[in-house]
Amino acid sequence: MRGTVYHYDGDQDFGYINGVDGKRYMFVRSDLSHEVTLVRGILVEFQPDDGTARNIAAVPSTTPSSGTGRPPQPGQLAEKRTATSTGLWAYFGRTVSVNYFNFNGRARRKEFWAFFLCFILVQLALFGFGILVNLAINGFGINAGKSSIGFLPALIFTLAFGLSWIALVVRRLHDIGLSGWLVLLCFIPGIGEAALLVFGLIQSQVGENPWGPVPAGVKV
């Protein structure tokens, strides 16, 4: 099917294509079959798949038009992006890097749970490393357990990326249509764990809300 690129957000890695059938399809960089100049109005061919666009390729055109029938304006910038993974570790890496201080926009459930799963796995690895370091320092004798310096890397990791998970929870709240200030519930003893679970299970709000369009990959 043919269509035109309507929107693409390089930071959040999602965009929309207006198909010739009158429907709008979501896509991410991993859906590109070839390098495509992701500028509004460029003509592309793609394979529709339940509201998403797959195997996107550019169609040679001397006068690409936008979804409104007008050519792209000179101020619009084109970005050449190659396909990248959007797996669990990719979401984790994005959360602790480009989205470290990002309290705007929305975060889908997969992004939310991918971060916490990878965060826990890294914590377990660092905790196990700390046990080995402490045993190496203290030995197995009566002095065992005197030093806990081996757990310092796990503590530093937790403190270093504490702000990133707060920002992620705020974006998850935006995704379900709630104020980001509700993240404060996560710091109430006895309530915080339940609040995190509820925030992570609620489905994304359909369509665009005050914090932006629905994240790429969410089935509407």
Side-chain angles (χ1 to χ4, degrees):
M1 179 186 295
R2 290 198 173 190
T4 56
V5 174
Y6 172 74
H7 168 77
Y8 178 71
D9 187 327
D11 294 330
Q12 297 295 326
D13 184 21
F14 72 88
Y16 296 95
I17 292 176
N18 287 335
V20 295
D21 59 352
K23 297 181 180 179
R24 185 168 294 174
Y25 298 86
M26 292 179 294
F27 71 93
V28 296
R29 285 196 298 271
S30 60
D31 294 318
L32 305 179
S33 59
H34 302 286
E35 187 174 352
V36 178
T37 303
L38 294 173
V39 60
R40 181 185 175 96
I42 189 171
L43 186 63
V44 294
E45 280 190 345
F46 64 95
Q47 178 182 352
D49 180 16
D50 193 19
T52 60
R54 308 291 186 190
N55 302 320
I56 305 169
V59 176
S61 176
T62 56
T63 56
S65 60
S66 67
T68 59
R70 298 189 299 270
Q73 299 300 314
Q76 294 174 332
L77 298 178
E79 292 183 291
K80 291 187 178 181
R81 303 275 186 168
T82 56
T84 57
S85 171
T86 53
L88 300 181
W89 286 105
Y91 274 125
F92 177 77
R94 187 184 307 162
T95 300
V96 299
S97 57
V98 297
N99 285 329
Y100 191 95
F101 290 105
N102 183 14
F103 292 87
N104 300 313
R106 300 167 61 172
R108 59 182 297 201
R109 284 183 296 182
K110 182 179 179 180
E111 181 179 357
F112 180 85
W113 289 114
F115 171 82
F116 280 101
L117 175 61
C118 296
F119 188 88
I120 291 172
L121 289 176
V122 174
Q123 279 284 50
L124 289 176
L126 291 176
F127 186 77
F129 172 78
I131 292 177
L132 295 177
V133 171
N134 290 337
L135 288 175
I137 295 175
N138 301 321
F140 295 90
I142 59 175
N143 291 325
K146 293 285 185 176
S147 174
S148 299
I149 193 172
F151 297 128
L152 187 59
L155 177 61
I156 293 176
F157 175 79
T158 301
L159 295 177
F161 298 115
L163 185 61
S164 62
W165 80 257
I166 295 176
L168 174 64
V169 175
V170 169
R171 296 197 306 274
R172 178 86 265 269
L173 286 164
H174 292 168
D175 187 47
I176 60 180
L178 298 176
S179 169
W181 287 106
L182 289 176
V183 70
L184 297 177
L185 293 176
C186 299
F187 297 95
I188 301 177
I191 298 179
E193 295 81 0
L196 276 176
L197 180 62
V198 172
F199 296 157
L201 292 177
I202 299 178
Q203 293 183 355
S204 299
Q205 191 175 54
V206 177
E208 189 169 350
N209 67 17
W211 296 280
V214 62
V218 176
K219 294 183 178 181
V220 179

